[in-house]
Amino acid sequence: MKKKWILPFIVLMLFTIIASACGNGASNGASDNGNQEATATEGTSSEAANTSDTITYQSETGPVEIPAKPQRIVALTNGPNILSMDVTPVGVDKWTAENPLFKDKLKDVAIVSEEDPESVSALNPDLIIAGSHMKNLEQLSKIAPTIVYTWGKLDYLQQQLEIGKVLNKESEAQAWIDDFTKRAGEIGNEIKAKYGDNVTVSTIEIADKEVFAMGDHWARGTEALYQAMKLNMPEKVKNDTLKEGYHSLSLEVLPEYMGDFIVVSRDMTRDNEIMKSGIWSKIPAVQNKQVIELDTKAVTYSDPITLDYVLNIFKEGFLGTGK
């Protein structure tokens, strides 16, 4: 009887040992694989985190490593473009801060200057946007990643798209571009339908006793009028503003530069001697009450907020159908 039980017992023991070994091997294998997968996943996450933390922005001065979603921007330039995308800088230049279109949005924002890098540094920025003409750019770049733009190198639409890339809001920037171009083009077509395809518009700025004719990319609504709405400027204005973007005029020659309509940028809080002069009163556009006035303080930029603002004024001024 004992011999009959010995063999089955030995077989059972061997089976238990083998099964246990296989189980441990499988368990260890799973554990090893799990560790490898965890390591690989952590590596991917880390890379993803790095990718999401920063991006390489191709600026006009070369690649710049910037935060993927900057939180503390000092905008020494292009502050209005940033504001238009619902992002508020921690610091802006005084011209932006004093603009009536942005004052409320910037009431708690510091006013800084490139001439005082310490004031910029005190804001602990994670990104600085500056103009290529500005001083202390090298010192600013040591404070935080610094993107430099040359004014006028990009047109107003490209500039907004670039700011969209910087803010990780490129699709939003493109959506505005598409919408504005469409709306402005439609208004331009309505104006031509009412006054003729050859209707001309002059844009001038009156500052004290000086007058300047504006080209098609010198703010004051010119991008909207001539580029988006595709209205015509008088040939004399086009030729004389081609090089500098604007042209200084004497009062005596002013009538030679005036179109069927005149858009006047001026200080609206003050009377103006030029607009009270006999020469001004004899200009046909003035006599026909085809003068549209803009507050200079509000129209010195070409960002979406400003352009939407002037487009509404133009719609009312040309068509009497502003919202």
Side-chain angles (χ1 to χ4, degrees), residues 119-195:
S119 68
V120 175
S121 181
L123 296 176
N124 192 30
D126 58 5
L127 179 66
I128 299 170
I129 298 179
S132 62
H133 64 286
M134 292 181 174
K135 301 176 181 178
N136 300 314
L137 291 177
E138 185 175 349
Q139 191 171 346
L140 290 171
S141 66
K142 293 177 181 177
I143 296 171
T146 300
I147 295 172
V148 172
Y149 292 113
T150 298
W151 194 89
K153 188 170 185 177
L154 300 174
D155 70 28
Y156 72 108
L157 299 178
Q158 292 172 323
Q159 184 65 74
Q160 185 63 16
L161 192 60
E162 289 304 307
I163 294 297
K165 293 176 183 178
V166 169
L167 300 178
N168 197 28
K169 293 189 173 189
E170 186 176 357
S171 60
E172 293 177 34
Q174 186 62 56
W176 176 81
I177 289 170
D178 295 341
D179 178 61
F180 178 79
T181 302
K182 181 175 182 293
R183 285 186 289 118
E186 290 172 349
I187 294 172
N189 289 337
E190 288 183 55
I191 293 168
K192 289 179 180 179
K194 184 173 182 178
Y195 299 103

Side-chain angles (χ1 to χ4, degrees), residues 55-273:
I55 61 171
T56 300
Y57 177 74
Q58 298 298 332
S59 77
E60 66 178 65
T61 57
V64 182
E65 199 76 12
I66 67 172
K69 294 183 178 180
Q71 302 297 313
R72 298 185 61 80
I73 303 172
V74 168
L76 298 171
T77 185
N78 295 106
N81 299 89
I82 295 168
L83 284 171
S84 74
M85 305 208 74
D86 296 322
V87 174
T88 303
V90 295
V92 295
D93 62 285
K94 71 172 184 175
W95 305 110
T96 301
E98 293 173 358
N99 186 301
L101 296 186
F102 313 123
K103 260 187 174 180
D104 289 344
K105 296 175 182 290
L106 296 171
K107 59 184 177 181
D108 297 321
V109 174
I111 299 176
V112 290
S113 168
E114 76 277 6
E115 296 186 358
D116 183 11
E118 288 77 15
S119 68
V120 175
S121 181
L123 296 176
N124 192 30
D126 58 5
L127 179 66
I128 299 170
I129 298 179
S132 62
H133 64 286
M134 292 181 174
K135 301 176 181 178
N136 300 314
L137 291 177
E138 185 175 349
Q139 191 171 346
L140 290 171
S141 66
K142 293 177 181 177
I143 296 171
T146 300
I147 295 172
V148 172
Y149 292 113
T150 298
W151 194 89
K153 188 170 185 177
L154 300 174
D155 70 28
Y156 72 108
L157 299 178
Q158 292 172 323
Q159 184 65 74
Q160 185 63 16
L161 192 60
E162 289 304 307
I163 294 297
K165 293 176 183 178
V166 169
L167 300 178
N168 197 28
K169 293 189 173 189
E170 186 176 357
S171 60
E172 293 177 34
Q174 186 62 56
W176 176 81
I177 289 170
D178 295 341
D179 178 61
F180 178 79
T181 302
K182 181 175 182 293
R183 285 186 289 118
E186 290 172 349
I187 294 172
N189 289 337
E190 288 183 55
I191 293 168
K192 289 179 180 179
K194 184 173 182 178
Y195 299 103
D197 288 343
N198 296 321
V199 64
T200 57
V201 183
S202 297
T203 302
I204 63 172
E205 180 158 303
I206 301 178
D208 295 326
K209 296 181 180 181
E210 293 184 294
V211 185
F212 300 91
M214 302 295 173
D216 68 354
H217 61 280
W218 207 259
R220 286 77 175 171
T222 56
E223 290 85 358
L225 285 169
Y226 305 119
Q227 295 187 46
M229 297 163 72
K230 301 187 185 309
L231 298 179
N232 307 302
M233 67 175 67
E235 282 300 315
K236 199 167 184 61
V237 176
K238 184 186 296 185
N239 293 334
D240 288 354
T241 61
L242 194 59
K243 185 177 179 180
E244 299 292 339
Y246 66 93
H247 184 66
S248 178
L249 304 175
S250 66
L251 182 59
E252 291 72 25
V253 301
L254 186 59
E256 300 173 23
Y257 288 81
M258 297 300 95
D260 300 313
F261 280 83
I262 306 171
V263 172
V264 180
S265 168
R266 70 179 185 91
D267 184 346
M268 304 287 276
T269 64
R270 299 168 57 186
D271 287 336
N272 191 275
E273 292 181 18

Side-chain angles (χ1 to χ4, degrees), residues 5-60:
W5 282 101
I6 288 173
L7 186 59
F9 179 75
I10 293 172
V11 171
L12 180 62
M13 288 294 292
L14 289 172
F15 178 78
T16 301
I17 292 168
I18 292 168
S20 176
C22 290
N24 287 337
S27 175
N28 289 337
S31 177
D32 290 344
N33 289 339
N35 288 336
Q36 291 173 1
E37 288 175 3
T39 301
T41 301
E42 287 169 7
T44 303
S45 298
S46 177
E47 289 171 10
N50 289 336
T51 301
S52 63
D53 288 341
T54 63
I55 61 171
T56 300
Y57 177 74
Q58 298 298 332
S59 77
E60 66 178 65

